[in-house]
Amino acid sequence: MSFCSLVDRRSAEQLADQAPDEIEADVHLVVDATDGYYQALADIGYDVGQMSSEAVTKAQSAVEAPEVAAAAARITTYVKDTCGVDLTVPGSGAS
């Protein structure tokens, strides 16, 4: 299965495993940051009342870090240019 064919499925683990060399480090950085955030949410039972917990706040800060935003922007550009999928447009599919 190619990287581009996985983009529509948005499977983070599969994308990270199949990421091409040009964006491999970026994909792993974003996946690791978002995995941490999702785990922090799971740890509080997805209770909105606990969203300000230290673990969630720390995980959210990691996701919003400038280096993660820059990596996400590079991934978005690569996927649009290489796969024909605009990740900024909901429902965009491979052309």
PDB file of all heavy atoms in Angstrom, residues 4 7 15 21 30-31 38 44 54-55 63 68 80 84 90-91 93 95:
ATOM      1  N   CYS A   4       0.424   7.579  -0.592  1.00  0.00           N
ATOM      2  CA  CYS A   4      -0.691   8.370  -1.119  1.00  0.00           C
ATOM      3  C   CYS A   4      -2.024   7.661  -0.970  1.00  0.00           C
ATOM      4  O   CYS A   4      -3.036   8.294  -0.685  1.00  0.00           O
ATOM      5  CB  CYS A   4      -0.452   8.756  -2.577  1.00  0.00           C
ATOM      6  SG  CYS A   4       0.877   9.962  -2.789  1.00  0.00           S
ATOM      7  N   VAL A   7      -3.478   8.269   2.520  1.00  0.00           N
ATOM      8  CA  VAL A   7      -3.843   9.620   2.935  1.00  0.00           C
ATOM      9  C   VAL A   7      -5.344   9.753   3.129  1.00  0.00           C
ATOM     10  O   VAL A   7      -5.795  10.333   4.106  1.00  0.00           O
ATOM     11  CB  VAL A   7      -3.311  10.666   1.936  1.00  0.00           C
ATOM     12  CG1 VAL A   7      -3.860  12.044   2.238  1.00  0.00           C
ATOM     13  CG2 VAL A   7      -1.788  10.690   1.987  1.00  0.00           C
ATOM     14  N   LEU A  15       0.267   5.829   8.032  1.00  0.00           N
ATOM     15  CA  LEU A  15       0.961   6.929   7.366  1.00  0.00           C
ATOM     16  C   LEU A  15       2.401   7.029   7.858  1.00  0.00           C
ATOM     17  O   LEU A  15       3.325   7.202   7.070  1.00  0.00           O
ATOM     18  CB  LEU A  15       0.235   8.254   7.607  1.00  0.00           C
ATOM     19  CG  LEU A  15      -1.037   8.481   6.813  1.00  0.00           C
ATOM     20  CD1 LEU A  15      -1.756   9.726   7.317  1.00  0.00           C
ATOM     21  CD2 LEU A  15      -0.749   8.597   5.335  1.00  0.00           C
ATOM     22  N   ASP A  21      10.758   9.265   2.568  1.00  0.00           N
ATOM     23  CA  ASP A  21      11.915   9.876   3.232  1.00  0.00           C
ATOM     24  C   ASP A  21      11.790  11.388   3.372  1.00  0.00           C
ATOM     25  O   ASP A  21      12.194  11.952   4.388  1.00  0.00           O
ATOM     26  CB  ASP A  21      13.213   9.553   2.478  1.00  0.00           C
ATOM     27  CG  ASP A  21      13.573   8.077   2.544  1.00  0.00           C
ATOM     28  OD1 ASP A  21      13.041   7.363   3.425  1.00  0.00           O
ATOM     29  OD2 ASP A  21      14.389   7.639   1.706  1.00  0.00           O
ATOM     30  N   VAL A  30       4.462  14.664  14.077  1.00  0.00           N
ATOM     31  CA  VAL A  30       3.039  14.987  14.203  1.00  0.00           C
ATOM     32  C   VAL A  30       2.275  13.821  14.825  1.00  0.00           C
ATOM     33  O   VAL A  30       1.449  14.017  15.727  1.00  0.00           O
ATOM     34  CB  VAL A  30       2.446  15.388  12.839  1.00  0.00           C
ATOM     35  CG1 VAL A  30       0.933  15.516  12.915  1.00  0.00           C
ATOM     36  CG2 VAL A  30       3.067  16.698  12.352  1.00  0.00           C
ATOM     37  N   VAL A  31       2.550  12.607  14.382  1.00  0.00           N
ATOM     38  CA  VAL A  31       1.859  11.436  14.936  1.00  0.00           C
ATOM     39  C   VAL A  31       2.170  11.283  16.418  1.00  0.00           C
ATOM     40  O   VAL A  31       1.261  11.048  17.231  1.00  0.00           O
ATOM     41  CB  VAL A  31       2.219  10.155  14.146  1.00  0.00           C
ATOM     42  CG1 VAL A  31       1.753   8.894  14.883  1.00  0.00           C
ATOM     43  CG2 VAL A  31       1.608  10.205  12.753  1.00  0.00           C
ATOM     44  N   TYR A  38      -4.204  12.405  22.291  1.00  0.00           N
ATOM     45  CA  TYR A  38      -5.313  11.465  22.361  1.00  0.00           C
ATOM     46  C   TYR A  38      -5.202  10.577  23.597  1.00  0.00           C
ATOM     47  O   TYR A  38      -6.218  10.240  24.221  1.00  0.00           O
ATOM     48  CB  TYR A  38      -5.404  10.613  21.095  1.00  0.00           C
ATOM     49  CG  TYR A  38      -5.774  11.416  19.874  1.00  0.00           C
ATOM     50  CD1 TYR A  38      -5.112  11.228  18.674  1.00  0.00           C
ATOM     51  CD2 TYR A  38      -6.777  12.375  19.911  1.00  0.00           C
ATOM     52  CE1 TYR A  38      -5.437  11.972  17.549  1.00  0.00           C
ATOM     53  CE2 TYR A  38      -7.108  13.125  18.790  1.00  0.00           C
ATOM     54  CZ  TYR A  38      -6.441  12.916  17.610  1.00  0.00           C
ATOM     55  OH  TYR A  38      -6.761  13.643  16.505  1.00  0.00           O
ATOM     56  N   ILE A  44      -8.373  10.733  30.849  1.00  0.00           N
ATOM     57  CA  ILE A  44      -9.380  11.428  31.657  1.00  0.00           C
ATOM     58  C   ILE A  44     -10.796  10.995  31.264  1.00  0.00           C
ATOM     59  O   ILE A  44     -11.775  11.617  31.655  1.00  0.00           O
ATOM     60  CB  ILE A  44      -9.243  12.969  31.554  1.00  0.00           C
ATOM     61  CG1 ILE A  44      -9.453  13.455  30.126  1.00  0.00           C
ATOM     62  CG2 ILE A  44      -7.921  13.437  32.139  1.00  0.00           C
ATOM     63  CD1 ILE A  44      -9.684  14.953  29.989  1.00  0.00           C
ATOM     64  N   GLU A  54      -3.545  18.888  33.990  1.00  0.00           N
ATOM     65  CA  GLU A  54      -2.150  19.153  33.629  1.00  0.00           C
ATOM     66  C   GLU A  54      -1.690  18.296  32.449  1.00  0.00           C
ATOM     67  O   GLU A  54      -1.029  18.782  31.536  1.00  0.00           O
ATOM     68  CB  GLU A  54      -1.242  18.906  34.839  1.00  0.00           C
ATOM     69  CG  GLU A  54       0.199  19.251  34.575  1.00  0.00           C
ATOM     70  CD  GLU A  54       1.076  19.061  35.800  1.00  0.00           C
ATOM     71  OE1 GLU A  54       0.556  19.056  36.925  1.00  0.00           O
ATOM     72  OE2 GLU A  54       2.290  18.901  35.615  1.00  0.00           O
ATOM     73  N   ALA A  55      -2.064  17.027  32.441  1.00  0.00           N
ATOM     74  CA  ALA A  55      -1.629  16.127  31.371  1.00  0.00           C
ATOM     75  C   ALA A  55      -2.209  16.548  30.021  1.00  0.00           C
ATOM     76  O   ALA A  55      -1.507  16.549  29.008  1.00  0.00           O
ATOM     77  CB  ALA A  55      -2.040  14.689  31.695  1.00  0.00           C
ATOM     78  N   VAL A  63       1.124  19.466  20.865  1.00  0.00           N
ATOM     79  CA  VAL A  63       0.490  19.468  19.542  1.00  0.00           C
ATOM     80  C   VAL A  63       0.592  20.859  18.902  1.00  0.00           C
ATOM     81  O   VAL A  63       0.771  20.982  17.697  1.00  0.00           O
ATOM     82  CB  VAL A  63      -0.983  19.016  19.639  1.00  0.00           C
ATOM     83  CG1 VAL A  63      -1.726  19.245  18.337  1.00  0.00           C
ATOM     84  CG2 VAL A  63      -1.057  17.550  20.039  1.00  0.00           C
ATOM     85  N   VAL A  68       5.833  21.371  15.517  1.00  0.00           N
ATOM     86  CA  VAL A  68       4.782  20.457  15.066  1.00  0.00           C
ATOM     87  C   VAL A  68       3.940  21.142  13.990  1.00  0.00           C
ATOM     88  O   VAL A  68       3.606  20.530  12.976  1.00  0.00           O
ATOM     89  CB  VAL A  68       3.914  19.970  16.243  1.00  0.00           C
ATOM     90  CG1 VAL A  68       2.744  19.123  15.762  1.00  0.00           C
ATOM     91  CG2 VAL A  68       4.767  19.171  17.237  1.00  0.00           C
ATOM     92  N   LYS A  80      -0.429  17.465  -0.939  1.00  0.00           N
ATOM     93  CA  LYS A  80      -1.132  18.153  -2.028  1.00  0.00           C
ATOM     94  C   LYS A  80      -0.345  18.055  -3.331  1.00  0.00           C
ATOM     95  O   LYS A  80      -0.899  17.732  -4.384  1.00  0.00           O
ATOM     96  CB  LYS A  80      -1.362  19.618  -1.669  1.00  0.00           C
ATOM     97  CG  LYS A  80      -2.190  20.365  -2.700  1.00  0.00           C
ATOM     98  CD  LYS A  80      -2.494  21.775  -2.246  1.00  0.00           C
ATOM     99  CE  LYS A  80      -3.361  22.484  -3.274  1.00  0.00           C
ATOM    100  NZ  LYS A  80      -3.631  23.864  -2.873  1.00  0.00           N
ATOM    101  N   GLY A  84      -2.069  14.768  -4.657  1.00  0.00           N
ATOM    102  CA  GLY A  84      -3.257  15.418  -5.189  1.00  0.00           C
ATOM    103  C   GLY A  84      -4.388  15.529  -4.193  1.00  0.00           C
ATOM    104  O   GLY A  84      -5.551  15.643  -4.570  1.00  0.00           O
ATOM    105  N   PRO A  90     -12.052  19.781   3.663  1.00  0.00           N
ATOM    106  CA  PRO A  90     -12.762  18.593   4.143  1.00  0.00           C
ATOM    107  C   PRO A  90     -13.310  17.771   2.977  1.00  0.00           C
ATOM    108  O   PRO A  90     -13.873  18.319   2.035  1.00  0.00           O
ATOM    109  CB  PRO A  90     -13.897  19.165   4.995  1.00  0.00           C
ATOM    110  CG  PRO A  90     -13.431  20.528   5.390  1.00  0.00           C
ATOM    111  CD  PRO A  90     -12.593  21.017   4.234  1.00  0.00           C
ATOM    112  N   GLY A  91     -13.101  16.473   3.039  1.00  0.00           N
ATOM    113  CA  GLY A  91     -13.629  15.590   2.023  1.00  0.00           C
ATOM    114  C   GLY A  91     -12.808  15.523   0.748  1.00  0.00           C
ATOM    115  O   GLY A  91     -13.185  14.876  -0.207  1.00  0.00           O
ATOM    116  N   GLY A  93     -10.292  14.261  -1.831  1.00  0.00           N
ATOM    117  CA  GLY A  93      -9.778  12.930  -2.110  1.00  0.00           C
ATOM    118  C   GLY A  93      -8.717  12.984  -3.168  1.00  0.00           C
ATOM    119  O   GLY A  93      -8.466  14.028  -3.768  1.00  0.00           O
ATOM    120  N   SER A  95      -6.886  12.898  -6.549  1.00  0.00           N
ATOM    121  CA  SER A  95      -7.395  13.244  -7.882  1.00  0.00           C
ATOM    122  C   SER A  95      -6.911  12.286  -8.928  1.00  0.00           C
ATOM    123  O   SER A  95      -6.047  11.504  -8.743  1.00  0.00           O
ATOM    124  CB  SER A  95      -6.978  14.658  -8.242  1.00  0.00           C
ATOM    125  OG  SER A  95      -5.597  14.849  -8.070  1.00  0.00           O
TER     126      SER A  95
END
